[in-house]
Amino acid sequence: MRYLILSDIHANWEALQAVLEHACDRYDAMVCCGDLVGYGADPEAVVDWARRNVQAIVRGNHDKAAIGLEDIEWFNPAAAFAAQWTQRQLSPASLEYLRQLPRGPLAVGDFQILHGSPVDEDEYLISPYEAASLYGYLNAPVSFFGHTHLQGGFLVEPDGAAEIGQVPADRTSATVELTATGNWLINPGSVGQPRDGDPRAACALYVPEERRVTFYRVPYDIARAQRKILDAGLPESLAFRLAYGA
Ligand code: ZN
């Protein structure tokens, strides 16, 4: 079985389409680590697509915000505005779909998916130090997470954690062989709003039988996604940041 791992699509239809086209026949199933919506201009199209195509998914904080489950006082003003705008764009079926999304971690075969951290779905997992503190909480040899929008992740061992880097800017993919023992905490990166300095859409392909993860970066029509955000009346900053991957 080959899994296409997606996270943090954030209503960016152009980025999602580019990723799916790029991955075309390389996967058998799709999973998502949360945040289908928020920030981008196409929440209804993305949620409707996920409802029909994604095999396993956990909720993200922006999915919760769109159904009134997250206290948006904690959101920055642009994110809070986008969350309220998003809620108004969603059909009853899409709102219901978001309402029934499970909290991670969720077991999928012999791995698991989660949004923030295995102990708190809203926690940002950024440093190896933070990853190392989770050693006893990882219930699967391989876990995929999102939330930070930073492609890469960690190999967590009893005495610490080592960082896995993102795809270099001059390349389109990078493969990690999962041969070392320890717990792998892997972030496929954000499809719709990368924040690791690379504006290309991010995703990963996982082949458990071959113990291998391949990270991808895919160029997409950023200008079109930006135009839609501005035309929708969403905050300009949400359009501008897409060009920088920030
Ligand atoms: Zn997110």
Side-chain angles (χ1 to χ4, degrees):
M1 195 76 163
R2 302 163 302 169
Y3 295 92
L4 182 62
I5 317 285
L6 306 172
S7 192
D8 299 279
I9 299 168
H10 283 295
N12 186 335
W13 184 251
E14 284 68 35
L16 176 62
Q17 292 310 302
V19 158
L20 295 176
E21 231 167 80
H22 186 76
C24 68
D25 56 357
R26 281 183 254 217
Y27 63 91
D28 309 300
M30 276 185 280
V31 305
C32 179
C33 301
D35 276 1
L36 290 171
V37 300
Y39 300 128
D42 281 309
E44 176 59 21
V46 169
V47 175
D48 189 60
W49 167 86
R51 203 155 55 88
R52 296 166 201 279
N53 294 287
V54 173
Q55 275 75 26
I57 179 170
V58 291
R59 67 188 189 182
N61 51 319
H62 287 263
D63 303 321
K64 285 192 288 177
I67 50 169
L69 257 185
E70 180 90 353
D71 190 354
I72 58 170
E73 273 179 36
W74 294 98
F75 279 36
N76 67 52
F81 184 94
Q84 288 167 328
W85 178 88
T86 296
Q87 192 163 23
R88 294 196 298 273
Q89 312 306 312
L90 293 170
S91 66
S94 291
L95 287 167
E96 186 49 36
Y97 177 73
L98 292 183
R99 256 180 229 119
Q100 55 80 48
L101 290 184
R103 174 205 300 262
L106 175 72
V108 185
D110 65 349
F111 65 99
Q112 62 180 8
I113 58 175
L114 49 115
H115 188 61
S117 109
V119 293
D120 180 351
E121 61 184 343
D122 293 336
E123 186 181 314
Y124 288 92
L125 201 48
I126 293 171
S127 72
Y129 175 78
E130 290 159 333
S133 72
L134 295 168
Y135 183 75
Y137 299 96
L138 295 166
N139 298 322
V142 179
S143 305
F144 290 95
F145 71 104
H147 198 35
T148 62
H149 300 204
L150 307 173
Q151 190 178 54
F154 311 93
L155 170 61
V156 185
E157 294 174 302
D159 55 348
E163 214 162 340
I164 310 164
Q166 67 194 89
V167 177
D170 60 346
R171 294 182 48 194
T172 56
S173 69
T175 296
V176 179
E177 307 287 345
L178 308 183
T179 45
T181 52
N183 290 317
W184 295 89
L185 254 175
I186 299 174
N187 190 327
S190 168
V191 171
Q193 196 199 71
R195 293 179 194 160
D196 47 18
D198 186 340
R200 295 176 296 173
C203 66
L205 187 74
Y206 175 45
V207 187
E209 291 81 8
E210 297 172 8
R211 305 186 71 176
R212 190 194 316 138
V213 168
T214 304
F215 293 110
Y216 292 99
R217 294 313 277 248
V218 185
Y220 73 97
D221 193 344
I222 293 176
R224 187 174 161 84
Q226 290 177 312
R227 211 158 43 237
K228 284 184 174 178
I229 287 172
L230 297 175
D231 288 350
L234 286 161
E236 289 182 348
S237 60
L238 300 180
F240 295 150
R241 64 188 302 174
L242 295 180
Y244 304 101

